[in-house]
Amino acid sequence: EQLANQIAAGEVVERPSSVVKELVENAVDAGSTTIDIVIEEGGLSLIRVTDNGSGIEGDDIETAFFRHATSKISSSKDLFRIASLGFRGEALPSIAAVAKVECVSAPDGGGLGRRLVIEGGTITANEETSSPQGTDISVRELFYNTPARLKYMKTIQTELGHIADYVNRLALAHPGIAFTVRHNGNMLLRTLGSGDRLQTFAAIYGSATAKAMLPVEGEHPDYELRGVISKPEQTRSNRNGITIVVNGRYIKSFVLNQAMLQAYHTLLPINRFPLAVLELGMHPSLLDVNVHPAKMEVRFSKEAELREFIEDAIRRALGKQRHIPGP
Ligand code: ADP
Ligand code: MG
């Protein structure tokens, strides 16, 4: 069991941002409206995520730290209709295998909650405590018992950069959730959770940048697209400004990135990338999210058609602006 957890940990917990991702996704799945993230030393000394979601019921808190203890799937058939972000039940046990974890949680309006402490996969405390409704998980000394992994960590700034990239995009995917991120005591991000995506965008990239974005829209029998993209003059030297949200989930997609860049084709020099948020909706049967344990990569069943649809919508958005005849 412990070994299985450490092996799984290698897949799920690559670096501090992977821990942030798993904890924050759980908080989103729990229906939270506020998610507060506290980071110290790039996440290597502390990652703390506090949410006001549904909380974990009494004994379930211990179960949650065992493998495949997901509460999100009740039969293997459900694997084909996944709505929530997490569904493998691997994250918490994997994290607990390679760090010192404290979890305090209470359901139903709070009051009586439970506190569980696990160090390197071993439970060292499990007791009643008072707690507001929601879940508060602290992950300390990540990789303290796997020095080989620890050695691969980059600088604090690099690890923090990965965390910020991830949270920025998740916040964009969930404008209805108020996020804060603090690093070594400094507030790095605060979104209002008003539900307004452009306001969230402005909180992350600044309001001047937000005002200069072009709206993107597309309708298709299978797909719906909304979002904003930057004008060709406002590009960046990397892809980190591209956020793609599919059915409420922030994903990475080479195919969709390519479609987007193709639309900019003659307008962008090589190695320049737009700032963009694209929100795509489709029937869940048209995508496969179970490609990689980190669950960020998806596969689309009608890839060529989707590509064309995205390219077309972005061309139109750019065309309107620059009076280039549409396709
Ligand atoms: P998964 O998300 O794949 O179900 P995890 O290991 O991430 O697996 O979490 C295990 C279980 O712990 C979840 O299914 C959920 O029931 C519970 N859980 C974890 N984090 C939270 C949270 N922040 N709020 C409520 N429940 C949580
Ligand atoms: Mg999860």
Side-chain angles (χ1 to χ4, degrees):
E1 168 86 15
Q2 179 62 13
L3 180 65
N5 284 338
Q6 286 204 356
I7 292 169
E11 273 188 66
V12 178
V13 190
E14 195 191 333
R15 60 192 334 155
S17 64
S18 343
V19 174
V20 173
K21 173 180 186 298
E22 295 297 338
L23 297 183
V24 172
E25 286 191 355
N26 283 343
V28 171
D29 283 348
S32 309
T33 57
T34 68
I35 300 178
D36 297 306
I37 303 161
V38 172
I39 306 294
E40 274 166 29
E41 307 305 323
L44 289 167
S45 88
L46 174 70
I47 295 167
R48 180 174 181 184
V49 176
T50 309
D51 70 51
N52 67 347
S54 56
I56 311 177
E57 202 97 35
D59 294 340
D60 293 348
I61 191 166
E62 193 176 327
T63 322
F65 285 88
F66 288 97
R67 270 168 74 67
H68 305 300
T70 179
S71 64
K72 296 166 193 169
I73 292 185
S74 40
S75 89
S76 61
K77 263 205 238 146
D78 289 350
L79 273 172
F80 296 100
R81 298 185 240 101
I82 288 149
S84 59
L85 296 174
F87 54 86
R88 293 165 156 264
E90 275 181 3
L92 292 185
S94 301
I95 294 165
V98 293
K100 301 179 179 175
V101 176
E102 178 176 352
C103 175
V104 175
S105 190
D108 303 333
L112 190 60
R114 203 147 190 98
R115 173 174 174 269
L116 188 75
V117 181
I118 303 191
E119 298 195 357
T122 307
I123 295 176
T124 60
N126 183 355
E127 64 201 14
E128 278 182 352
T129 184
S130 68
S131 162
Q133 177 177 326
T135 304
D136 179 356
I137 300 190
S138 299
V139 175
R140 293 191 169 81
E141 294 179 57
L142 184 62
F143 302 132
Y144 80 102
N145 57 354
T146 53
R149 173 71 62 164
L150 191 57
K151 224 174 56 193
Y152 279 99
M153 293 306 115
K154 304 278 195 285
T155 63
I156 285 170
Q157 274 315 310
T158 301
E159 296 307 331
L160 183 63
H162 286 288
I163 292 170
D165 266 357
Y166 176 73
V167 179
N168 285 348
R169 293 187 230 201
L170 201 80
L172 282 168
H174 297 281
I177 300 176
F179 285 91
T180 62
V181 180
R182 290 181 181 79
H183 182 248
N184 292 350
N186 301 314
M187 183 75 83
L188 297 188
L189 175 71
R190 180 200 288 275
T191 70
L192 295 180
S194 63
D196 181 342
R197 204 176 303 272
L198 210 54
Q199 193 176 61
T200 306
F201 186 93
I204 296 167
Y205 296 107
S207 51
T209 307
K211 281 201 189 93
M213 299 292 279
L214 303 173
V216 184
E217 263 177 80
E219 289 288 340
H220 180 278
D222 287 330
Y223 313 111
E224 202 182 286
L225 179 70
R226 278 183 299 170
V228 290
I229 52 165
S230 60
K231 293 169 192 166
E233 344 26 306
Q234 288 177 308
T235 54
R236 327 188 119 203
S237 58
N238 62 47
R239 292 165 197 263
N240 292 348
I242 300 175
T243 302
I244 299 174
V245 178
V246 176
N247 291 356
R249 178 197 301 263
Y250 154 57
I251 61 142
K252 283 186 177 158
S253 166
F254 179 75
V255 173
L256 298 191
N257 276 357
Q258 285 305 106
M260 187 181 322
L261 293 176
Q262 192 60 41
Y264 275 90
H265 188 47
T266 55
L267 305 174
L268 275 191
I270 255 164
N271 290 333
R272 297 298 296 177
F273 301 92
L275 187 58
V277 182
L278 296 185
E279 196 189 348
L280 185 62
M282 68 179 76
H283 191 271
S285 66
L286 293 174
L287 66 115
D288 176 10
V289 289
N290 201 7
V291 181
H292 184 269
K295 295 171 289 185
M296 295 242 269
E297 299 267 358
V298 302
R299 222 171 263 150
F300 301 103
S301 55
K302 301 184 189 172
E303 201 173 283
E305 185 188 85
L306 177 60
R307 236 187 117 117
E308 207 168 298
F309 167 68
I310 301 278
E311 215 180 300
D312 206 61
I314 294 174
R315 277 226 182 82
R316 266 186 286 113
L318 290 168
K320 263 186 206 143
Q321 167 69 17
R322 313 195 113 211
H323 308 288
I324 294 165

